[in-house]
Amino acid sequence: MQRRQFIQNASLTALGITAFGGIKAVTRSAAAGNALRVNGKRIESRIFELAKFGMDANGHGTRVAFTQADIEARKWFTALMQRAGLNPTIDTAGNIIGRRKGKNNALKPIAFGSHIDMVPDGGNYDGTLGSIGALEVIEILNEQNVITEHPLELIIFSNEEGGTIGSKAMVGDITKEGLQQRSQSGLTMGEGIRAIGGNPDDIQSCIRKKGDIHAWLELHIEQGGILEKEKIQIGVVEGIVGIVHWEVIVEGFSNHAGATQMNMRQDALLAASKLVIAVNEVITSVKGTQVGTVGKIAVQPGAYNVIPGKVQMGLEIRDLSAEKIEMLFKEIEKRAAMIAKASKTNIRFERQPNESKPALTDKKLQQTIQATAKSLGFSTKFMQSGAGHDTQHVGMIAPAAMIFIPSVGGISHSPKEFSTAIDMENGANVLLQTILAIDKG
Ligand code: HGY
Ligand code: MN
Ligand code: MN
């Protein structure tokens, strides 16, 4: 059956099969808007198209923010936005912004979108689902000649994976020091922003104030395994964790690995290894859903026959409570002091500028998402996000909320990241219908 015919038949009920064999019941209501549905095939094919940018020969994605692959992917996406009539522009933080007029352009815009940059060796759905899903909403409104009351904005935030830089800048949270921080691409944040068409010297002019956006929505994969395990189709995000990063520098003394007795050593890697274990012990020593990770490590000089003199590691702590993050970090500092003393090394922590505060999402929007998902026949669950998102910054200036779909196997930030076409379609339909509900609200 032609999709267009499928959409126009207002009383049709269609059954599809979701990721875990659940039934996707889609009942049409009379009002034209409520009958609108996204084109799942177009979403899926665009996800695969976007995945090609930065894909290496072994199928590993390297579309890290500010790299050539990111620049090319942004060009591709911007062209699609242009074709959809959004007249995309790039703000001084490098965010891509498309606008669609409403019936009443005195109203503030309903904004939605996500990011298209990825972590090194990441997956194809994190950020891209929310970006392509947002574009799909515009495509359907265009195809069905629906004009919303509010103007609409599609926003693709820059460098989400390197510290939600674009959304932080939009709410005035990027400092000069933050622009100097080195990004995963090797460029500083400021250099990277310039490389993608922004202007770090004028970063202030991208700032939006409270009230500039009527509501913000982000569709995203869960990146965990709860929805799949509990066979739930749509997650309604209640809160997003805060994230703090530290560079940890462990200094010992390089020396001959053969001629230096074991009790004469100041082995930086041995001390660092004990600290990694201590981090895990501290984080797991208190009840709750906090997480702590040492995700990167560099050893100097790095030779079989030299006792490591210096180690640099990356420490990350996340939790819904900023106070808890501080408490856990203090405990880790105490353990580090004991390890340094015992190993005759020196351990210091350098807190990184681009941290994210924890954020609760807007209660009314949560209810609208849940009601919309239920009206589409989907099961729902209120939950927190262990991943950070642009939404937690936009939420400082506007009512903001997130829609989750299941991640197969709960895997993310990995080439094994996967969400099914039907779950992506379900999520995009909830995004579409929630936007229409907010617009009427
Ligand atoms: O790291 C995160 O939580 C997010 O995927 N940027
Ligand atoms: Mn993301
Ligand atoms: Mn991510």
Side-chain angles (χ1 to χ4, degrees):
M1 176 182 287
Q2 279 301 322
R3 177 153 295 275
R4 185 177 296 280
Q5 185 193 347
F6 193 73
I7 285 174
Q8 274 149 3
N9 180 337
S11 58
L12 187 74
T13 299
L15 297 179
I17 302 298
T18 65
F20 28 80
I23 294 291
K24 176 193 89 164
V26 176
T27 40
R28 306 269 184 262
S29 76
N34 292 1
L36 294 187
R37 294 295 178 269
V38 298
N39 179 335
K41 284 261 164 289
R42 179 165 52 197
I43 293 173
E44 193 183 21
S45 71
R46 285 178 167 175
I47 288 276
F48 295 152
E49 268 307 292
L50 182 46
K52 290 177 192 157
F53 292 94
M55 186 68 73
D56 67 17
N58 323 319
H60 290 255
T62 57
R63 192 173 63 247
V64 166
F66 308 147
T67 58
Q68 198 47 36
D70 183 35
I71 291 170
E72 263 142 51
R74 288 165 55 93
K75 255 194 223 127
W76 173 80
F77 200 95
T78 304
L80 288 177
M81 290 172 74
Q82 189 68 42
R83 271 216 326 254
L86 290 172
N87 302 318
T89 56
I90 297 184
D91 71 10
T92 55
N95 300 314
I96 307 170
I97 302 170
R99 291 169 181 79
R100 186 177 195 264
K101 283 196 175 9
K103 288 178 192 148
N104 178 353
N105 293 299
L107 294 174
K108 295 298 180 191
I110 297 171
F112 43 97
S114 191
H115 64 95
I116 61 171
D117 63 295
M118 63 167 36
V119 292
D121 203 16
N124 296 326
Y125 299 82
D126 173 0
T128 55
L129 169 67
S131 304
I132 287 170
L135 183 59
E136 181 61 23
V137 167
I138 301 291
E139 304 275 16
I140 292 296
L141 296 179
N142 290 344
E143 286 168 6
Q144 300 302 320
N145 303 313
V146 171
I147 306 292
T148 50
E149 277 306 307
H150 291 77
L152 303 180
E153 277 194 354
L154 196 168
I155 304 178
I156 304 298
F157 284 112
S158 63
N159 194 6
E160 188 279 343
E161 295 294 1
T164 50
I165 300 301
S167 50
K168 264 201 199 101
M170 186 173 273
V171 299
D173 239 3
I174 282 286
T175 60
K176 253 200 168 23
E177 195 203 359
L179 286 173
Q180 270 127 35
Q181 189 188 1
R182 206 140 296 276
S183 73
Q184 196 86 36
S185 70
L187 299 174
T188 63
M189 299 299 176
E191 291 163 347
I193 284 173
R194 200 184 302 282
I196 60 172
N199 176 6
D201 305 332
D202 182 22
I203 197 90
Q204 305 299 326
S205 67
C206 80
I207 293 175
R208 305 281 186 96
K209 297 180 303 313
K210 248 185 189 337
D212 283 353
I213 292 175
H214 178 68
W216 161 263
L217 284 175
E218 183 173 8
L219 169 63
H220 207 284
I221 55 172
E222 177 199 341
Q223 299 183 285
I226 296 170
L227 291 177
E228 184 190 51
K229 190 155 147 266
E230 298 182 18
K231 298 196 178 340
I232 305 272
Q233 290 160 301
I234 296 291
V236 184
V237 177
E238 294 176 295
I240 305 166
V241 295
I243 305 176
V244 186
H245 289 166
W246 291 266
E247 281 296 303
V248 186
I249 295 97
V250 182
E251 278 159 331
F253 188 79
S254 293
N255 209 334
H256 196 294
T260 312
Q261 296 308 306
M262 295 308 280
N263 62 355
M264 306 291 282
R265 296 178 173 212
Q266 293 167 258
D267 185 333
L269 183 52
L270 182 62
S273 312
K274 290 180 177 177
L275 182 54
V276 172
I277 292 166
V279 166
N280 187 273
E281 287 169 350
V282 168
I283 296 293
T284 52
S285 64
V286 291
K287 276 208 326 289
T289 54
Q290 67 281 352
V291 289
T293 313
V294 174
K296 61 185 182 99
I297 185 165
V299 183
Q300 289 174 18
Y304 283 113
N305 55 0
V306 182
I307 299 165
K310 184 176 177 186
V311 170
Q312 185 144 345
M313 304 194 285
L315 168 64
E316 178 190 88
I317 305 178
R318 299 184 185 212
D319 194 70
L320 266 180
S321 151
E323 294 69 28
K324 192 174 207 182
I325 292 174
E326 299 307 324
M327 178 277 285
L328 291 165
F329 175 63
K330 287 217 169 8
E331 283 310 305
I332 289 170
E333 270 188 316
K334 280 186 207 151
R335 292 289 297 270
M338 292 192 291
I339 291 166
K341 192 157 171 262
S343 58
K344 296 192 282 309
T345 58
N346 178 295
I347 301 178
R348 69 176 193 279
F349 295 84
E350 291 172 359
R351 192 170 182 133
Q352 298 303 298
N354 291 316
E355 58 191 75
S356 295
K357 299 184 190 67
L360 298 177
T361 59
D362 180 81
K363 278 244 176 292
K364 198 162 160 264
L365 288 182
Q366 289 174 29
Q367 301 302 334
T368 308
I369 293 168
Q370 193 207 29
T372 303
K374 286 200 170 311
S375 75
L376 289 166
F378 301 140
S379 51
T380 62
K381 176 185 181 69
F382 286 93
M383 59 198 296
Q384 80 168 48
S385 171
H389 299 284
D390 293 310
T391 297
Q392 68 198 99
H393 305 298
V394 182
M396 291 176 198
I397 59 160
M402 292 190 78
I403 302 159
F404 272 177
I405 67 162
S407 291
V408 173
I411 300 169
S412 181
H413 282 191
S414 151
K416 295 189 174 61
E417 185 180 274
F418 179 66
S419 286
T420 67
I422 200 79
D423 282 332
M424 292 198 286
E425 183 175 341
N426 291 350
N429 274 321
V430 173
L431 177 67
L432 169 63
Q433 287 299 330
T434 303
I435 290 165
L436 294 175
I438 295 167
D439 185 46
K440 282 192 216 100

